[in-house]
Every structure is written in C-alpha cells, then in structure tokens.
Amino acid sequence: MQTPIKVLFPALLAAFTLNANGADKITLRQHWEPGKLYKQENVTDMTMIMPGLGAAGEQKTNIIQSLTVGVTKDPGSDNKSAEVKFAAIKGSMTMMGQVMTYDSTDPAKSQPFLQQAFGAMVGKSFTIVYDKDDKFVSVKGIENLAPTPLGKTQAMDGKQLAEAFRKSSEMGLPKDPVAVGDTWKLEEKMDLPPIGKLVIKATGKFDSLATVKGANTAKLLITGEFSTEGDNQMVKLGEGSKFDAEVLFDLDRKVVVNNVTNTTLKLNVGGKEAPMTQKVTTTLTGIENLK
C-alpha cells in the first residue's frame, strides 16, 4: 500500500514541473518608458522593374530615415503618450540611368518631385497613446498630416501613417507569453495607398536566446504572405507576394532593437507586371533621457 507521502510527492513534482515550464515563457511586448527618448533608424533598399521598359525600367531606391519617439506620462492618468517625429531623411533613386539624391539637411539641391516625395514628412509628428501595460489606446495629432501626392495617387494620410508605424513596430511580436521553440500565427490588416487594404498572414517563431552587443535578446523569425482586399484597378498585388523577418527583442529594456525584413511583391500596375524586392532594416540607435 502506498503511503500518503508517496502519493503526494509525484503530484507535487508534477505541479512544480508545470510551474517551472510556465516560468520559461516570456511576454514580448514593446515597452515605452515615460521620460525617455527612443532614437530609431530605418534603412530601405528597394528594386522595382517598371513595366514596358525592359532593362532600362529597373528602378533602385535607397532611403535612410531617422525617427525619434519621445514618451511622456499623461497627467491624471495611467496612460502615456509616445510622440513619433520624423527627424531626417536621406534618399537616392536610380532611374533610366540617372541618379537623383535627396538630403533633408539641404533639400533645395534635390529635384522638386523628390522634395515632395521624401521631404513632406520631415519635422512632422503624431502621437500614439498607450496604457500602463503598453497596450494601444488612441492616436493624436494626425489632423495636420496631409497625404503626399504620388503621381495620380496619394500616399498614406495621418491616420494610416500612425497605424502603419504602430503595427510595423509590433509586427511579429506574439500576443501571449512564449518560450524558446514556440510558434504563433499572425494576421494584420492595414491601409497602404495606392495598393489598398493590405492583408498580412504570417507565422512567428521564438528561435533562440542570444547576447548581442552585451544585450540579452530574444531572436524571433517571421515568415508570411501579403494579399489585398477590395478592387483596386490601378495597382494590384499578385500571388507569391511574401516576406521574411528576423527580429531581436531586448529582454531587459523590453524593446525591439533590430528588425531586418526582406519582401518580394508581385505588383501589377495598369495590367502590367512590376515586380519589386525590398529590404528594410530598422535599428534602435539609442535611448536617452527626454529633455
């Protein structure tokens, strides 16, 4: 006959094991600390084949964008406001054998359409409000962000731009706590003129723990596909549009420190194929005290 101790011990051991396994799970949610200024750099390298021009239709674009996110505590509330400001932009475009450049520190040297396309957002800002648990509440300050004209179409308006920033900064992060080896499904929708409503379906994986530049990080791998909703006659997105991303999340500061995303888009412009490849590298370049 088993004694009560012999019966109880396996149960306690099982309970301890379950708790230990549960403790291995980590919440990976972007954190914004009040009183801090986050500095971020986005580098975009894009190649697109313009339809009907053959080899001469290859268009290459490089954009280096500097942003700051200043976080303050909302008076009389547990909420906090993160003001996202477009501090500077440098860009170059190679088209039809001609190289054109833009630098927001001296925009007058650039062609007018580059001043319009690249420079419209410099110095502009919007504010995203989060609660004390870093969950989205609302957006402020978007009324003065008019959409930039892009030929016969327009770029994102203020609301769409704020939504795109928020969702892209959170893209790939799991909603629930995860452990190394866990996977999860992602699905997002966002407005992306001139394409329309972009649908993103992806799978994320907590690949490993790694020490990068002295920081304890979680390495996440994301793979997914793009599709669109609605009937856009000018620009369509074909099957085979996909992306993969590697995300490094700082476990101590609770923030994404690096995100490298490679994208292949099967664009159709006016009934003609216009394939595009794009690499976007987003790096947290520093965190300072907000002045």
Side-chain angles (χ1 to χ4, degrees), residues 27-78:
T27 298
L28 303 177
R29 180 181 298 150
Q30 184 89 2
H31 174 65
W32 302 107
E33 182 67 23
K36 296 296 183 181
L37 180 73
Y38 297 78
K39 293 187 173 182
Q40 186 182 92
E41 181 181 79
N42 297 330
V43 179
T44 301
D45 288 294
M46 180 174 64
T47 300
M48 182 177 182
I49 307 298
M50 302 302 291
L53 297 177
E58 184 178 73
Q59 177 180 306
K60 293 186 176 182
T61 305
N62 171 265
I63 303 172
I64 302 174
Q65 189 178 61
S66 299
L67 298 91
T68 61
V69 183
V71 187
T72 56
K73 186 81 166 54
D74 288 0
S77 168
D78 288 333

Side-chain angles (χ1 to χ4, degrees), residues 29 127-131 133-140 162-163 166 170:
R29 180 181 298 150
T127 299
I128 303 177
V129 180
Y130 295 91
D131 68 13
D133 297 317
D134 295 291
K135 294 180 180 179
F136 172 71
V137 175
S138 62
V139 175
K140 301 186 296 185
E163 179 186 51
R166 179 178 66 84
E170 300 170 357

Side-chain angles (χ1 to χ4, degrees), residues 267-280:
L267 292 174
N268 186 296
V269 181
K272 297 180 179 180
E273 298 297 324
M276 175 193 293
T277 58
Q278 178 177 275
K279 179 180 180 180
V280 179

Side-chain angles (χ1 to χ4, degrees), residues 4 48 58 68 87 89 130 158 217-218 220 232 235 283:
M48 182 177 182
E58 184 178 73
T68 61
I89 295 179
Y130 295 91
T217 66
L220 312 180
N232 187 333
V235 181
T283 305

